[in-house]
Structures are given as structure tokens and as C-alpha cells.
Amino acid sequence: MAHDEPVLTSRAGRTAHLTLNRPRALNALTHPMVRTIDEALAAWESDDDVTAVIISGAGDRGLCAGGDIRVIHEDARTGAGASHAFWRDEYRLNVRIARYPKPYVALMDGIVMGGGVGVSAHGGVRVVTERSAVAMPETAIGLVPDVGGTYLLSRAPGELGTHLALTGQTIGAADTLLCGLADHFVPTGRLSGLRAALAGPEVRDADDVREVVRRYATTPPEGRLDADREWIDACYTAGSVEEIIERLRGNGDPAAKDAAETLLTRSPTALKATLVAMRRARRTATLEQVIVQEYRASCAALTFPDLQEGIRAQVIDKDRRPRWSPTELAEVTDADVARFSAPPPGGDLELATP
């Protein structure tokens, strides 16, 4: 396979490797990349010579910074509808990864955001490093967390997931482990040894894969979310985004006030839709059911001005000064929020029953 292709596939021993290969774009996912990954996983699933799959990112900056939102921006501008097709295939891939019958080892080194979480945190063996920077920053561009993000975050302890979903805060290794988005901490310097060990002749089955990863794992540097649990749990149980911000501002912890200020920079419409999505995901039994709801929310976001404006401010003009519409939380109507839960005109995402 040509080394300039956006997804590289290879084999070493009984392990198959997926390498996201767009390092200049932080390995951002395109629709063809999603299809390539899905096709490779489908083939390896029935290949008796493959014991495990490893996914990693080319370059030294990260696994994947998410979907290629420049393409989504153009779609939002023109109304061509390409994003619907991309999301359908991407979300189906996320479910395939979550249900994969062989160990799917995700090396979450460096930046892992948005769609990068989708191709890693649903895996059976998830490895973070001291360089890991993990986030679901969708509210900063007018989206609701997707790729199964509301499912994963709604299962985090207490209200940590609500905090991360609304603010889009980036977390390191220890906090990623605390929130249930990863399983093991392996220092970056040991990753090459881990790869070599997983390709070794002694790795014959899934138990061997997990044992090798445990041998290379150690204790991560201390995180910060555990110490913030008291104010996070107290503030984010509020019934509305407005009340959450009021509680955060009234809390004595400086970090709580910082969280309030962050929320005030996010899309008011996306914040309200995200809170509803998170509360619903917590009550929903399966990933598949949640992802169908996320597909509805993503399709709805294309019809609101904030998605195009948020991407413009973050990656097109990079002025970091989005002009949200509406500008205030109080101006977001219940009808606006309800649109994020309604089936899109093209119909719901269809997924196999688990």
C-alpha cells in the first residue's frame, strides 16, 4: 500500500494495524478514511490469522483531531447533504468498533478529539499516554457531542461527563481513565515496545493481548477532575444550562467560575441541546439507541447557523470569536431544542440490533 494514503493497513505477527495517515491535518477523518477503516475491520473480523487490531496516528501530534470539519462547513454553507452520508458511515463504524469481537487496541497518544474519540474510546483495549489530550469540543462549533460521545460521557462518574460535554474541556491520561474513556496508561516511550510485544509469537488469543498491555501499563500522573468532583456534581445537577452557570458562578472554587466563563463562549443552542442529549443518554440502554439520537442532533445542527459560524471562527478565519445566533441562552426556544431530537427528513440512521 502506498505510504501517502490517508489510512495505512499492515500486519505484524497476528496483529493488524490501522494508521491514520494525515499528520498535517492532525489525522482528521474524511469519508473515504471511514470507509477504508470499516472495510479493513470487516475483513479482519473473519480472518483467523488476526488476533487483534491496533489503531494509531501518524506523526507525533496525536491519534486524530476529529472529523474534517472544513468539509462539514462547506456542506453547511451549500446544503449539499454530504455530511449526512459521512455521519451515517462514521457512526456505523463507531458501533462496529464497540461490538468488535477481537481486541481493538487504541493507542490514544497525543490529541484525541471528537471523531478521534469515536475510533478509539469504543475499543476493547484503550491506551493513553502522558501526552494524551482528550476532548469532545463540539459545543464550541455549534454541534452536540456525537460518535457515541454522549453515551460514553453519560456513563462517567457523577456529573463529570456533563461538565466535559458542555465545556468541551480537554483532559489528560488520569482523567480519561477516571471517566471510563480509557483502560491503561502506557508512557509514550514504551509504545514501540508494546507494539513489538503484541506482534510476538506468544500472542495467540485475546487474553494474551490484554496480558501484554497490562505488562506495559503503569500509574499515570495525577489528574484534576477527581479533586473537582464536589463542585462539578453540585453544579451540573441543575435543571437547565442557565442554572448550571448560576451555580458555577456562585461556587467558591475558581475552577467553577472558569467553567462558567467557558460555557458563556459556547453556542447557546448547542449547550441546551447537549444537556438534553446527555440526560437522555444516561437513561438509554444501548450505544445504538444513543447514536441514532446523535445522528438526529447532527443533522439538525446543519440547519442552524451556529455550526457554520462556529467552524468559521475556529478553523476557517481562526478569530475565535463566533457570533452565535441566538446570542443568549434565554433566546433559545424549546422548539429549537426539540428539533435536535426529531428524525431528519432523510430518515433515521439504521443500525443492527446488538
Side-chain angles (χ1 to χ4, degrees), residues 161-242:
T162 309
H163 169 64
L164 296 177
L166 291 177
T167 63
Q169 178 180 324
T170 301
I171 56 176
D175 290 333
T176 304
L177 292 163
L178 172 64
C179 291
L181 303 178
D183 308 295
H184 304 281
F185 172 76
V186 176
T188 301
R190 305 190 75 183
L191 288 181
S192 60
L194 172 61
R195 287 171 176 270
L198 288 171
E202 75 278 8
V203 178
R204 297 174 298 274
D205 56 30
D207 289 339
D208 292 337
V209 171
R210 295 185 176 91
E211 177 55 33
V212 166
V213 176
R214 281 194 291 267
R215 285 207 312 264
Y216 278 81
T218 185
T219 303
E222 187 175 356
R224 62 170 294 175
L225 283 183
D226 197 39
D228 290 342
R229 276 287 303 276
E230 185 175 354
W231 65 261
I232 288 175
D233 289 350
C235 295
Y236 285 91
T237 52
S240 68
V241 178
E242 291 94 331

Side-chain angles (χ1 to χ4, degrees), residues 39-283:
E39 289 167 3
L41 290 178
W44 291 333
E45 184 172 336
S46 58
D47 188 335
D48 292 338
D49 290 331
V50 173
T51 296
V53 175
I54 301 174
I55 187 167
S56 60
D60 58 3
R61 298 171 66 192
L63 171 64
C64 175
D68 192 335
I69 58 175
R70 289 178 179 270
V71 175
I72 296 173
H73 178 270
E74 180 64 13
D75 193 36
R77 189 182 68 81
T78 63
S83 296
H84 292 204
F86 169 64
W87 286 323
R88 280 196 298 270
D89 286 344
E90 183 184 24
Y91 299 169
R92 286 171 179 150
L93 172 62
N94 301 145
V95 172
R96 180 187 289 281
I97 291 168
R99 305 301 180 202
Y100 208 62
K102 299 178 180 182
Y104 180 95
V105 183
L107 302 183
M108 301 169 69
D109 185 35
I111 293 172
V112 185
M113 296 183 178
V117 173
V119 297
S120 59
H122 293 296
V125 184
R126 305 161 301 176
V127 174
V128 285
T129 74
E130 74 280 2
R131 302 185 333 129
S132 294
V134 180
M136 294 296 296
E138 283 74 14
T139 59
I141 59 167
L143 269 174
V144 173
D146 64 342
V147 299
T150 62
Y151 179 87
L152 293 166
L153 291 175
S154 70
R155 270 68 181 169
E159 294 294 327
L160 294 181
T162 309
H163 169 64
L164 296 177
L166 291 177
T167 63
Q169 178 180 324
T170 301
I171 56 176
D175 290 333
T176 304
L177 292 163
L178 172 64
C179 291
L181 303 178
D183 308 295
H184 304 281
F185 172 76
V186 176
T188 301
R190 305 190 75 183
L191 288 181
S192 60
L194 172 61
R195 287 171 176 270
L198 288 171
E202 75 278 8
V203 178
R204 297 174 298 274
D205 56 30
D207 289 339
D208 292 337
V209 171
R210 295 185 176 91
E211 177 55 33
V212 166
V213 176
R214 281 194 291 267
R215 285 207 312 264
Y216 278 81
T218 185
T219 303
E222 187 175 356
R224 62 170 294 175
L225 283 183
D226 197 39
D228 290 342
R229 276 287 303 276
E230 185 175 354
W231 65 261
I232 288 175
D233 289 350
C235 295
Y236 285 91
T237 52
S240 68
V241 178
E242 291 94 331
E243 188 180 349
I244 288 171
I245 292 173
E246 184 179 345
R247 290 187 186 185
L248 289 168
R249 282 175 153 176
N251 190 281
D253 195 306
K257 292 181 173 60
D258 288 343
E261 293 307 308
T262 296
L263 292 178
L264 291 172
T265 70
R266 302 313 193 216
S267 160
T269 303
L271 285 176
K272 288 204 168 185
T274 296
L275 184 60
V276 169
M278 285 293 296
R279 299 273 164 86
R280 181 175 54 230
R282 186 175 290 171
R283 302 189 304 268

